[in-house]
Amino acid sequence: MENTRYELNKGLAKMLKGGVIMDVTSASQAKIAQEAGACAVMALERIPADIRAAGGVSRMSDPKLIKEIQEAVSIPVMAKCRIGHFVEAQVLEALEIDYIDESEVLSPADDIYHIDKTKFKVPFVCGARDLGEALRRIKEGASMIRTKGEPGTGDVVQAVRHMRKINSQIRKVSSLSKDELFEEAKVLGVSFELLSYVHKNKQLPVVNFAAGGIATPSDAALMMQLGAQGVFVGSGIFKSKNPKKRAEAIVQAVTNYTDAKLIAKLSYDLGEAMVGINEDEIKLIMEERGI
Amino acid sequence: MKIGVLAVQGAFIEHKNIIEKLGVKCVEIRQKKDFKDIDGLILPGGESTVQGKLLHKLDMFNLLKKEIENGLPTLATCAGLILLADKIENQKNNHLATLPVKVKRNAYGRQLGSFITKADVGHLNNFPQVFIRAPYITDVYSNVSVLSKVDEKIVAVKYKNQIGLSFHPEMTDDYRIHQKLLEMAG
């Protein structure tokens, strides 16, 4: 991938900052999401909670669905491909998707290698649980990172853990001396150049969003206060009783994430949130896919 | 002097960093109460549908419109340009409508159509222009002056106190357009 293209792709992620990216499974849901203030939508056949419930192999969405969603909205449209499935990614690029999520939510197609994302013009976002995973995905060409969290659970604990870990590792790396950086690059299994960037700039070289288990305005604001630059909301919206109202509330909570009075008002009478599954009740751990 | 940058969604930090590098105070405007003693305003890139909606939800729409109409120096980039435009192609609703131009959203297509080029912007020679899912201007009215064209399409205009750009000067290290805003505000 030429350098200019990578800059443009990192740039699109910057435009999404302070926003909410919502999972949608139909053109009508996409319109509701756009109307509620989503800064992008993720086109999916099934939201993570249903993927979890259905079991079996989950794959890239049908291009027909993706096209319908692209035609329904004017905001960027993202779609997921399986980890390592570079042909699904080629298909999504052919569909002119705005962002590909090489995602652990789908069944991995390759248990060793991720996609060489530098070969694509279209941008990629990837999940990460720690700084090592984040920098490895960036080295492979990802132009945006999100926490993995544990998708489809409505439980924010893993996203919190991943965001805290990444940021605490960034703080640690920032405080190292140069000779210690060589060793740290080896320990984390990451490129020295990318680690040096983190050391110097005290942040990732790309935008970092929170994802996985975010279900309420307070969850979203929590992730923002922990340092996320925006949030993905998957099952949390369309698995709740009043998707439009909840989506609007989450959008405003992300903009004003430190204003507790406003968040209180936004949380008022939202109807039932998605039911949720606790960490120790989960059978399928998606975050362990692709490290 | 104090510049305010609309910070409801999008790439506002990049603008703030530049204004601060130029030695001027810059505040993030997330709510009505943040909008105090501002000498200049920046409407950043992001998603115009989100920003437009939040202006209403957070009750800032009328205040912003009035201030811009009353002459507050304003620099708008990409989504910001769409917020200012009087007319938007294929769309009934406009937003602040203080800038008498017609814009076309996502005029270069999806992300694969994004590009970087260089062109003169008014008196500023060879300005780096970063276009990301960008709009361009298809028509101008009253006394709008065209500052820049790329492939015959209008990508920068000035009208009284407002500068509207299709591209992102905040994604480059060329601060001349931001300096222009500070001159207008000073």
Side-chain angles (χ1 to χ4, degrees):
Chain A
M1 182 170 29
E2 48 170 336
N3 204 24
T4 304
R5 186 51 54 185
Y6 191 53
E7 288 306 311
L8 287 166
N9 289 343
K10 284 195 292 182
L12 176 56
K14 287 180 185 169
M15 296 306 141
L16 300 172
K17 281 189 300 183
V20 182
I21 300 167
M22 302 183 194
D23 279 1
V24 297
T25 57
S26 66
S28 61
Q29 283 188 356
K31 281 183 184 158
I32 293 172
Q34 175 170 271
E35 180 59 28
C39 67
V41 289
M42 178 75 72
L44 276 171
E45 261 162 30
R46 282 194 294 235
I47 52 174
D50 291 336
I51 291 174
R52 213 170 255 295
V57 174
S58 55
R59 311 178 177 90
M60 178 189 79
S61 300
D62 190 321
K64 176 172 181 277
L65 174 76
I66 293 171
K67 275 278 167 216
E68 284 168 2
I69 290 171
Q70 282 176 321
E71 277 157 24
V73 295
S74 61
I75 55 180
V77 177
M78 303 183 164
K80 292 183 193 291
C81 73
R82 285 180 265 175
I83 289 174
H85 205 316
F86 49 85
V87 175
E88 284 187 349
Q90 290 164 4
V91 170
L92 291 174
E93 182 168 70
L95 293 170
E96 296 196 25
I97 205 78
D98 292 300
Y99 240 99
I100 297 176
D101 185 359
E102 185 185 17
S103 176
E104 69 283 1
V105 170
L106 306 183
S107 309
D110 193 317
D111 54 2
I112 300 175
Y113 301 106
H114 279 76
I115 297 170
D116 176 1
K117 294 165 274 287
T118 62
K119 286 193 173 145
F120 289 77
K121 284 185 172 164
V122 88
F124 280 81
V125 53
C126 287
R129 295 181 300 182
D130 54 40
L131 184 61
E133 286 187 23
L135 293 182
R136 284 195 290 278
R137 298 296 87 78
I138 293 165
K139 189 69 187 170
E140 294 158 3
S143 46
M144 179 176 181
I145 292 293
R146 54 170 177 75
T147 60
K148 283 180 169 172
E150 193 53 38
T153 60
D155 187 355
V156 81
V157 66
Q158 291 91 343
V160 167
R161 191 183 295 149
H162 301 163
M163 188 57 75
R164 277 195 181 275
K165 177 136 193 220
I166 290 173
N167 287 331
S168 125
Q169 287 177 303
I170 290 174
R171 283 191 295 275
K172 183 190 163 198
V173 167
S174 307
S175 69
L176 296 178
S177 64
K178 195 182 168 195
D179 51 355
E180 290 170 329
L181 275 185
F182 291 104
E183 174 63 14
E184 189 69 7
K186 192 178 81 183
V187 171
L188 292 177
V190 300
S191 100
F192 176 75
E193 285 67 34
L194 284 176
L195 199 67
S196 300
Y197 178 96
V198 173
H199 173 70
K200 186 175 164 213
N201 297 283
K202 300 181 171 51
Q203 58 180 8
L204 290 178
V206 303
V207 166
N208 186 18
F209 269 47
I214 295 160
T216 67
S218 300
D219 285 351
L222 172 69
M223 296 313 302
M224 293 298 287
Q225 288 198 28
L226 287 173
Q229 292 173 298
V231 300
F232 284 83
V233 185
S235 317
I237 290 171
F238 288 100
K239 275 281 157 194
S240 74
K241 277 278 152 58
N242 191 340
K244 181 162 185 284
K245 194 173 175 191
R246 182 167 294 267
E248 285 181 340
I250 292 175
V251 168
Q252 288 181 68
V254 166
T255 296
N256 283 291
Y257 60 89
T258 56
D259 187 337
K261 267 190 183 155
L262 181 66
I263 297 168
K265 207 173 99 190
L266 294 169
S267 307
Y268 197 81
D269 197 22
L270 277 186
E272 211 174 303
M274 70 178 287
V275 176
I277 332 169
N278 289 308
E279 193 170 24
D280 50 9
E281 300 165 347
I282 311 174
K283 291 205 183 77
L284 176 64
I285 309 290
M286 291 176 174
E287 65 162 86
E288 289 168 359
R289 292 167 162 178
I291 57 175
Chain B
M1 198 196 304
K2 192 165 86 178
I3 302 294
V5 56
L6 184 68
V8 294
Q9 189 271 327
F12 48 84
I13 294 294
E14 289 75 6
H15 282 290
K16 190 180 177 203
N17 290 344
I18 291 178
I19 295 298
E20 285 172 351
K21 270 186 200 163
L22 293 171
V24 172
K25 197 173 172 206
C26 187
V27 292
E28 294 174 17
I29 300 171
R30 293 170 189 272
Q31 294 184 35
K32 215 172 180 174
K33 62 174 193 251
D34 303 325
F35 204 98
K36 274 194 307 240
D37 311 319
I38 306 281
D39 303 298
L41 175 67
I42 297 175
L43 304 179
E47 278 303 316
S48 62
T49 51
V50 182
Q51 295 179 0
K53 189 181 172 65
L54 285 168
L55 286 184
H56 286 287
K57 284 274 170 193
L58 298 165
D59 194 25
M60 289 195 285
F61 184 88
N62 292 331
L63 174 68
L64 226 61
K65 186 173 164 70
K66 197 183 85 201
E67 290 287 336
I68 297 170
E69 279 171 347
N70 287 345
L72 181 68
T74 301
L75 170 63
T77 60
C78 196
L81 168 67
I82 296 166
L83 290 187
L84 290 185
D86 186 41
K87 293 192 173 68
I88 304 171
E89 290 208 359
N90 305 320
Q91 204 172 303
K92 272 176 285 175
N93 302 332
N94 55 10
H95 300 283
L96 296 163
T98 55
L99 182 65
V101 300
K102 187 194 261 187
V103 296
K104 184 175 181 190
R105 291 182 60 203
N106 302 331
Y108 300 93
R110 300 186 175 280
Q111 174 63 2
L112 286 174
S114 296
F115 63 101
I116 299 177
T117 187
K118 273 188 176 181
D120 294 349
V121 179
H123 300 298
L124 310 174
N125 295 325
N126 223 13
F127 199 91
Q129 298 177 326
V130 180
F131 292 85
I132 297 175
R133 282 175 51 94
Y136 59 63
I137 294 164
T138 55
D139 220 340
V140 297
Y141 314 100
S142 70
N143 292 320
V144 171
S145 46
V146 173
L147 297 179
S148 187
K149 281 187 179 182
V150 170
D151 295 333
E152 303 300 306
K153 309 291 190 219
I154 302 169
V155 297
V157 294
K158 183 166 189 295
Y159 175 71
K160 296 179 185 170
N161 53 315
Q162 305 167 57
I163 297 176
L165 311 174
S166 298
F167 52 90
H168 295 280
E170 81 282 8
M171 310 248 323
T172 71
D173 46 18
D174 193 324
Y175 303 158
R176 286 177 290 169
I177 291 179
H178 289 87
Q179 275 162 341
K180 204 89 197 159
L181 175 72
L182 297 182
E183 279 168 31
M184 287 160 65

